[in-house]
Amino acid sequence: MNIAILTGSNRHAATSTQLAAIVGQLITQKGHTVMLHDLFEHPLPFYSPDGIDHDHAAVQQLQQSMLKADGIVLATPEYHGSVSGVLKNALDYLGQDHFRGKAVLSMCSSGGAVGTSSLLQLQAIVRNLHGVNAPEWVSVGGAQRNELAHGLTEYENGGQPIIDRIHRATISFLALAASVRANE
Ligand SMILES: Cc1cc2nc3c(=O)[nH]c(=O)nc-3n(C[C@H](O)[C@H](O)[C@H](O)COP(=O)(O)O)c2cc1C
């Protein structure tokens, strides 16, 4: 399958982007193709309903990846109990054509222990785009965020509970993506 990952931070070394990279590695290890759109590396102009900048190269690239995707992963930092502005801006360039009937895994990095507020809001956006919310989500918060910098290598050499959870959510998301794709 083709899996698109959209990272919702424009901060250098963002932990939500580290989380997305780990999930991308796991998905690749399972034999799937990952298309990663990093909003730090490829920032988007402000969305305008008048169509200004809709031909911007990064906008076109994002839209094409999302159209091609069989499943989608969204990662956000928790900002004021919600998703980041740059992620919402990116999602405004997308519509039901990009999401309809596709499995979507929502993930969050928060300063507090859990970021369920942003995850609930992200799942509401996915529902409005007619995507299929994965039953599991990933929330990494507080000191757990430090473990993400170690990536997968250390996990494979001994295990970290947080990466174990990320692994289980990823497997469950891939199973859902394969299942809804088969029913198209
Ligand atoms: C503008 C702003 C708002 C934030 N609001 C919250 C919040 O409501 N709840 C929370 O737990 N953390 C909040 N934080 C902390 C971030 O969620 C936390 O630092 C997160 O790990 C950032 O993700 P990143 O490493 O991907 O940038 C906020 C940070 C910023 C910059």
Side-chain angles (χ1 to χ4, degrees):
M1 291 186 291
N2 292 314
I3 305 296
I5 302 181
L6 178 57
T7 68
S9 175
N10 59 352
R11 184 171 80 82
H12 175 63
T15 52
S16 52
T17 306
Q18 292 170 3
L19 174 59
I22 288 171
V23 168
Q25 272 181 278
L26 289 168
I27 292 171
T28 304
Q29 283 179 2
K30 300 292 172 196
H32 305 287
T33 301
V34 168
M35 302 170 290
L36 183 94
H37 193 103
D38 181 337
L39 291 172
F40 172 76
E41 298 282 347
H42 302 286
L44 305 181
F46 276 130
Y47 173 81
S48 162
D50 290 331
I52 301 161
D53 283 331
H54 286 210
D55 56 354
H56 188 283
V59 171
Q60 298 280 318
Q61 190 191 34
L62 174 66
Q63 290 175 334
Q64 281 161 22
S65 296
M66 290 293 183
L67 271 184
K68 215 172 138 192
D70 299 301
I72 296 169
V73 179
L74 303 174
T76 187
E78 175 138 319
Y79 282 178
H80 303 325
S82 188
V83 303
S84 67
V86 293
L87 179 61
K88 182 60 171 62
N89 182 61
L91 291 169
D92 287 344
Y93 279 106
L94 303 170
Q96 293 171 3
D97 285 350
H98 305 95
F99 278 82
R100 188 180 297 108
K102 296 178 184 177
V104 183
L105 175 62
S106 293
M107 311 197 297
C108 157
S109 166
S110 61
V114 284
T116 51
S117 183
S118 59
L119 288 170
L120 284 169
Q121 294 189 27
L122 199 46
Q123 289 204 335
I125 294 170
V126 169
R127 199 173 61 233
N128 276 277
L129 291 168
H130 294 191
V132 182
N133 280 305
E136 294 189 40
W137 60 28
V138 177
S139 169
V140 180
Q144 284 181 325
R145 292 172 295 168
N146 301 331
E147 296 179 33
L148 298 173
H150 301 301
L152 271 188
T153 317
E154 196 168 305
Y155 167 66
E156 281 158 353
N157 291 336
Q160 298 156 284
I162 182 63
I163 308 276
D164 204 33
R165 272 206 290 118
I166 294 168
H167 190 255
R168 275 189 279 119
T170 304
I171 298 299
S172 139
F173 155 71
L174 288 172
L176 178 70
S179 156
V180 293
R181 182 172 175 250
N183 290 329
E184 267 175 14

